[in-house]
Amino acid sequence: MAEAAAFQGTGPSPARRWLRRTLTVAVGAPLLAGLLQSPSAPPAEAAEGSGSRTVDVSIDTLAPSAPVEGDTVTVTGTLTNRGKRPITDATVNLRVGPRMDSRSEIGEVARRKGFRAESDPQPLESGPEIEIPRLEAGVSRDFQFSVPVSKLGLDDEGGVYQLGVSLTGQTSDQRYDHVLGIERTFLPYQPEPTSKRTQVTYLWPLISSSHISADTASDDQQSPVFQDDDLAEELRPGGRLDELVTLGKDLPVTWVIDPDLLASVDAMANGYRIKDGTGHTAGTDAHSKLAARWLGLLEKAVQGHKVVALPFADPDLASLAHRGKAVPGALENLQSATELAGPTIETILHVQSATDFAWPVEGAVDPSVMAVATSAGARKVIARSDSIRDDELAYTPTAARPLGGGTTAVVSDAELSTAFQGEMVRAENTTLAVQEFLSQTLAVTLEQPQEQRSIVVAPQRQPSVAQAQAMAAAVRGLGAKRWSEPTDLVTAAAAKPDPEASTSVPRTAQYPKRLRDGELPVQAFRDMKTTRDELDDFKVVLTMPDRVVPPVGSAINREMSTSWRGRTSEAAIYRVDVEEVLQRLTKSIQLVDKSDLTLSGRSATIPVTVQNKLLQDVDGLVLRLTSANKTRLKVDGEAMAELPLKVRAGHSQSVKFPASANANGQVSMTAQLYTADGTPYGLPMSFTVKVSEMTPTVMLVIAGGVLLLVLAGVRMYTQRKRLAARAAAEAETETDAETEAETEPGTDDEPENVPTAESGSESDSDPDSETVAEAGTEPLAEKTGPEAESLPEPDEQTGDAPEDRSPAGDGTPATGREAGGDTADDAGQPSDPDADTGSESGDPSGTGEKVDR
């Protein structure tokens, strides 16, 4: 109808049409605006939160860290556009929030990320503002604020305030002002000193990983052999240990020192060697000078400060408690490490140290850890508040907690102790950590401003250079002493305990799994026990045990060091190396292998040789020789015999055992070294003895005896022939004399019966008569017959048989040896007691061994 009316020229009046148009615009405009703006105009709070991480705001410095009235606070930092679009029309503002009432609120703000309109303060109304027309994507820009404390809006009473720096701007997809980035930190403000100041104990640890092996050089100084030369990097100027000493010398801290570190640096300063494959090379003089320099700086730095000595090599108490107690003797290693601590520090640094403190890993304790920590004499255990908790208290209690039985738990503050564990290379991280640390300590004081309390800060064991620098900045920040004052660990342990504080040690099941997984395995403590037992057996035979026991014993202590956490493979390699070093030393005293022997008679001596390759004499060993068949072969009349032994350095010693045989055959013999208390030393050595009375050697002796008898008979026959010829010559001489006597002197007539030279025909015709004349008279001719040879006539002068006289014919009785060689009796029989032991194979019994014959 309306359309028809309008078409026909009829319709509502002009006033009605104006009213309708006005209502349409009034209703449609908001709808249109909503349609046009809805993609880029969310609610203000949502818009600010969604892009508040586009810009990375870094607060690099804040000075002073704890301002007072009249100071000017300067904040510097960097703005970095992490987004993909440029930022335009941006402003940088300083935001200071209201006073915080608790430590938990500080922790909550520190964990917050991104901008929150409901909790983050507004920009300072009269504060400075930096305008940035455009910040391109990926571009950084520095900023700086300087604001008087009076412009920050802080309360006169002081307290902890949130301080933030934010950037507000626009992007091409969000064309309205919203917060694109923010960073928060804390501002501790205490214009006047508090009535009661909290006592703060800060531990300053000097701990490193283990570097020295069990090996030593063979020189007179026994120069230690290092596993590597990494320690020199920590000692050089700017190195970790050098920085700790340089920073700590001007700080009111308690030095907590591992004596092993001092011993290692001292060894380096006095000449050391470094492992190089299977051998070792000399360390450099430059590194020795670095070590000497560092020790000199440290000795000056600790003067006037308390020094706490950890057990030698900082043993892992939790590993001992949870794994080591299952292995007998494991706690003895902790005892020796504790006893070594004090003297080491006093000898090197010339200061007295407290040795009754134990420090479990990260201060985590349970009943077994506490028991092990106190087993070696420690009466004060440094725990942590996230282990011994005080959840029921609204304030931070004093650190000292008496647990009964003379044991005190010194509970360090968990938040303060972990404040610098993160990566501190970036200036931003250091600044935020320092500001939070200072704010937390002020909050502790303000929790109960009328009660003085004592808190302890126990940081990580091996802080890096950047972490140490951040720690030093925090300690210096407390130097004004407006809400805190420094004290030492000994004083903190003796402070009056808070009666409301917890003294309940958590159950074993509550020990953190993360820490339990990093403990040394049970096998590690078994390896330590094996090495310790071998060392105990070895040292009793040494004349100079000090050359072996200290280096190997210290290496065993290093095997259970806390520094092995997170380094399982390196720890296992180190334990194997220590064991190999000790075995190489023990095997330097050994039995020399023997070849099989042959016993050629009923008795003999069996030599066994012991070799000593050490550089010192060996005493206190007993050598035992055992026969497997005493019926066949006995040693010194029994199945077994023992003889004491002493071997000079670098020499071999043969020990001779008397043996007697009763029957032929093979007998297995075993030689074994023992210590004086009957403990076997080294491996046994076995060999075989073959008992036999008719050996080739014995046959040769018998053949030689027969030959000597034959030679003696031949000589006797020849001697008799000579005697017979001499007798014939004497008879002929007598005959000539008688003939001359019958002829009167002076008569020229020749005897008729005496043949002359001219009667040659007569001589030629009767050869027998010539023979008789030459041989002598008829009786002498009879003596040359067979009967005379078998039974010689006595000598005409002495009446002795010819064989009883000296061959020289002087009448002296002749011995068997002089008469022509050894007799059968002299040659000996195989069954006589003087027979020897010979090698069946004919080979020598062993190197350096002399077999008695």
Side-chain angles (χ1 to χ4, degrees):
M1 293 293 294
E3 291 177 358
F7 179 78
Q8 295 176 355
T10 63
S13 64
R16 185 183 295 273
R17 289 198 299 270
W18 178 85
L19 178 62
R20 185 167 58 186
R21 289 172 183 166
T22 302
L23 292 174
T24 301
V25 172
V27 174
L31 295 175
L32 180 60
L35 292 174
L36 293 175
Q37 297 183 10
S38 59
S40 60
E45 182 177 338
E48 290 175 348
S50 62
S52 61
R53 300 188 190 181
T54 302
V55 176
D56 178 20
V57 181
S58 171
I59 299 177
D60 296 334
T61 65
L62 194 159
S65 57
V68 296
E69 188 176 356
D71 285 342
T72 297
V73 176
T74 301
V75 181
T76 65
T78 306
L79 306 168
T80 304
N81 184 0
R82 301 295 188 188
K84 298 180 180 179
R85 295 178 175 86
I87 297 172
T88 59
D89 302 325
T91 59
V92 184
N93 303 99
L94 197 64
R95 299 169 182 257
V96 179
R99 178 184 177 189
M100 299 185 195
D101 297 327
S102 65
R103 297 186 66 186
S104 60
E105 187 177 356
I106 296 174
E108 190 277 328
V109 172
R111 293 187 295 269
R112 188 184 302 166
K113 302 296 181 182
F115 176 74
R116 296 182 183 180
E118 75 280 3
S119 56
D120 284 316
Q122 294 297 318
L124 289 174
E125 294 182 1
S126 58
E129 184 178 278
I130 301 175
E131 294 184 357
I132 301 178
R134 187 178 181 87
L135 185 62
E136 298 290 344
V139 175
S140 298
R141 177 171 176 174
D142 296 335
F143 69 86
Q144 176 175 326
F145 289 111
S146 292
V147 186
V149 170
S150 59
K151 300 292 184 180
L152 296 178
L154 307 178
D155 296 337
D156 293 338
E157 296 180 358
V160 178
Y161 297 84
Q162 175 184 327
L163 185 149
V165 176
S166 64
L167 181 143
T168 302
Q170 300 179 8
T171 59
S172 60
D173 61 336
Q174 293 178 326
R175 294 186 177 279
Y176 58 90
D177 291 339
H178 57 287
V179 177
L180 295 173
I182 188 171
E183 183 63 275
R184 306 174 187 85
T185 186
F186 304 97
L187 191 67
Y189 178 65
Q190 187 63 39
E192 297 294 334
T194 58
S195 58
K196 298 290 185 180
R197 289 176 290 187
T198 302
Q199 294 180 332
V200 178
T201 299
Y202 206 104
L203 306 187
W204 202 252
L206 282 182
I207 301 172
S208 183
S209 56
S210 298
H211 294 281
I212 299 183
S213 71
D215 204 0
T216 59
S218 58
D219 53 15
D220 294 337
Q221 294 77 23
Q222 280 192 279
S223 300
V225 178
F226 280 58
Q227 295 285 113
D228 50 54
D229 211 13
D230 295 344
L231 184 58
E233 296 300 318
E234 297 188 88
L235 298 176
R236 68 175 63 256
R240 189 182 70 86
L241 293 173
D242 177 78
E243 195 72 8
L244 282 168
V245 173
T246 302
L247 294 170
K249 65 183 177 63
D250 298 322
L251 299 175
V253 295
T254 297
W255 296 84
V256 180
I257 302 178
D258 175 11
D260 178 34
L261 172 61
L262 295 186
S264 300
V265 179
D266 185 64
M268 179 179 288
N270 290 285
Y272 70 108
R273 303 186 69 83
I274 309 167
K275 277 201 168 185
D276 182 15
T278 57
H280 42 78
T281 59
T284 65
D285 291 339
H287 289 175
S288 295
K289 293 178 181 178
L290 277 177
R293 167 188 169 274
W294 185 83
L295 285 177
L297 292 176
L298 178 59
E299 184 175 355
K300 294 179 181 178
V302 299
Q303 298 302 319
H305 293 76
K306 288 292 183 182
V307 176
V308 171
L310 297 174
F312 190 90
D314 186 22
D316 192 336
L317 302 177
S319 294
L320 273 168
H322 299 150
R323 314 287 178 91
K325 286 197 305 184
V327 180
L331 295 181
E332 296 179 6
N333 295 331
L334 177 60
Q335 180 69 38
S336 64
T338 302
E339 294 173 352
L340 193 58
T344 301
I345 289 183
E346 184 176 1
T347 300
I348 298 175
L349 295 183
H350 308 101
V351 295
Q352 296 291 329
S353 60
T355 59
D356 56 346
F357 284 88
W359 190 11
V361 176
E362 296 188 13
V365 296
D366 60 21
S368 60
V369 173
M370 295 295 295
V372 167
T374 58
S375 65
R379 290 294 175 261
K380 301 154 191 174
V381 181
I382 305 172
R384 209 164 70 180
S385 61
D386 53 357
S387 183
I388 298 181
R389 307 178 68 91
D390 296 285
D391 297 332
E392 303 299 326
L393 298 179
Y395 62 91
T396 303
T398 290
R401 317 286 175 86
L403 302 180
T407 302
T408 299
V410 182
V411 181
S412 64
D413 190 90
E415 286 80 10
L416 299 177
S417 297
T418 59
F420 306 102
Q421 286 188 354
E423 189 271 313
M424 294 290 150
V425 174
R426 294 182 59 189
E428 174 190 20
N429 295 342
T430 298
T431 298
L432 297 180
V434 169
Q435 293 304 124
E436 183 178 357
F437 178 89
L438 297 177
S439 299
Q440 288 280 6
T441 57
L442 176 56
V444 169
T445 302
L446 297 179
E447 288 172 343
Q448 285 189 327
Q450 304 304 319
E451 297 289 338
Q452 186 178 53
R453 282 159 292 155
S454 175
I455 62 175
V456 173
V457 181
Q460 58 272 28
R461 272 175 153 76
Q462 297 188 41
S464 65
V465 171
Q467 290 171 344
Q469 291 170 346
M471 291 159 50
V475 176
R476 284 193 294 264
L478 296 175
K481 302 180 182 179
R482 293 197 297 276
W483 64 83
S484 68
E485 61 184 18
T487 188
D488 60 78
L489 185 60
V490 176
T491 303
K496 181 181 178 181
D498 191 324
E500 301 298 326
S502 173
T503 57
S504 176
V505 177
R507 301 187 305 273
T508 301
Q510 295 177 298
Y511 190 84
K513 183 179 183 303
R514 172 182 60 85
L515 296 180
R516 191 181 292 272
D517 291 342
E519 294 173 350
L520 294 171
V522 176
Q523 185 58 45
F525 293 96
R526 293 188 182 127
D527 294 342
M528 296 177 206
K529 181 181 185 306
T530 299
T531 308
R532 177 65 72 179
D533 290 345
E534 291 181 2
L535 179 61
D536 291 341
D537 294 340
F538 184 48
K539 67 182 181 182
V540 299
V541 306
L542 302 176
T543 56
M544 294 185 292
D546 289 345
R547 291 184 62 88
V548 176
V549 176
V552 178
S554 297
I556 296 174
N557 290 333
R558 295 184 183 103
E559 290 180 4
M560 59 181 181
S561 173
T562 303
S563 65
W564 296 120
R565 284 189 173 246
R567 303 166 57 210
T568 304
S569 299
E570 292 90 336
I573 292 173
Y574 185 83
R575 293 194 300 272
V576 171
D577 179 74
V578 173
E579 177 68 14
E580 288 180 348
V581 169
L582 182 58
Q583 287 184 354
R584 187 175 71 248
L585 292 174
T586 57
K587 290 179 180 179
S588 297
I589 307 170
Q590 62 181 353
L591 295 166
V592 178
D593 289 338
K594 292 179 66 66
S595 58
D596 294 344
L597 305 178
T598 297
L599 184 64
S600 59
R602 289 192 298 269
S603 62
T605 57
I606 301 177
V608 178
T609 303
V610 180
Q611 189 177 38
N612 175 19
K613 297 179 181 179
L614 295 176
L615 300 178
Q616 60 175 296
D617 296 350
V618 173
D619 197 0
L621 281 175
V622 174
L623 179 58
R624 179 184 299 175
L625 184 63
T626 305
S627 170
N629 188 344
K630 69 175 183 178
T631 303
R632 180 169 295 168
L633 179 64
K634 293 182 179 180
V635 183
D636 199 17
E638 302 291 339
M640 176 269 293
E642 292 182 347
L643 291 175
L645 182 69
K646 182 175 182 179
V647 188
R648 288 190 302 157
H651 287 72
S652 298
Q653 178 69 44
S654 291
V655 181
K656 301 174 182 179
F657 292 89
S660 57
N662 298 319
N664 291 344
Q666 292 186 349
V667 180
S668 177
M669 307 294 291
T670 301
Q672 172 70 63
L673 290 172
Y674 288 85
T675 59
D677 61 356
T679 303
Y681 181 92
L683 297 176
M685 185 266 292
S686 299
F687 58 96
T688 300
V689 174
K690 182 178 180 182
V691 180
S692 174
E693 294 190 2
M694 297 299 291
T695 65
T697 302
V698 174
M699 294 296 296
L700 181 62
V701 172
I702 294 175
V706 172
L707 179 61
L708 290 175
L709 290 175
V710 172
L711 292 176
V714 171
R715 184 175 180 181
M716 292 173 62
Y717 176 77
T718 303
Q719 187 177 18
R720 288 171 181 171
K721 293 291 288 181
R722 288 200 302 270
L723 291 174
R726 187 174 60 183
E730 292 176 351
E732 182 178 0
T733 302
E734 293 177 356
T735 303
D736 292 342
E738 291 177 357
T739 303
E740 292 178 358
E742 291 176 357
T743 304
E744 293 180 0
T747 304
D748 296 331
D749 297 334
E750 294 180 357
E752 295 179 358
N753 296 329
V754 177
T756 63
E758 296 154 355
S759 59
S761 60
E762 186 175 358
S763 298
D764 295 337
S765 62
D766 193 0
D768 291 336
S769 62
E770 182 180 356
T771 301
V772 171
E774 291 177 355
T777 61
E778 182 60 23
L780 290 176
E782 293 178 357
K783 291 180 182 180
T784 61
E787 292 180 0
E789 289 182 7
S790 61
L791 185 61
E793 291 290 336
D795 187 88
E796 293 180 357
Q797 301 296 328
T798 63
D800 295 332
E803 58 267 29
D804 293 335
R805 290 181 297 150
S806 169
D810 57 1
T812 303
T815 63
R817 188 175 303 273
E818 293 171 342
D822 297 332
T823 63
D825 291 339
D826 292 332
Q829 296 297 328
S831 60
D832 287 343
D834 293 332
D836 303 323
T837 300
S839 174
E840 185 176 12
S841 63
D843 295 330
S845 298
T847 305
E849 180 182 14
K850 181 180 179 181
V851 180
D852 290 345
R853 293 294 183 186

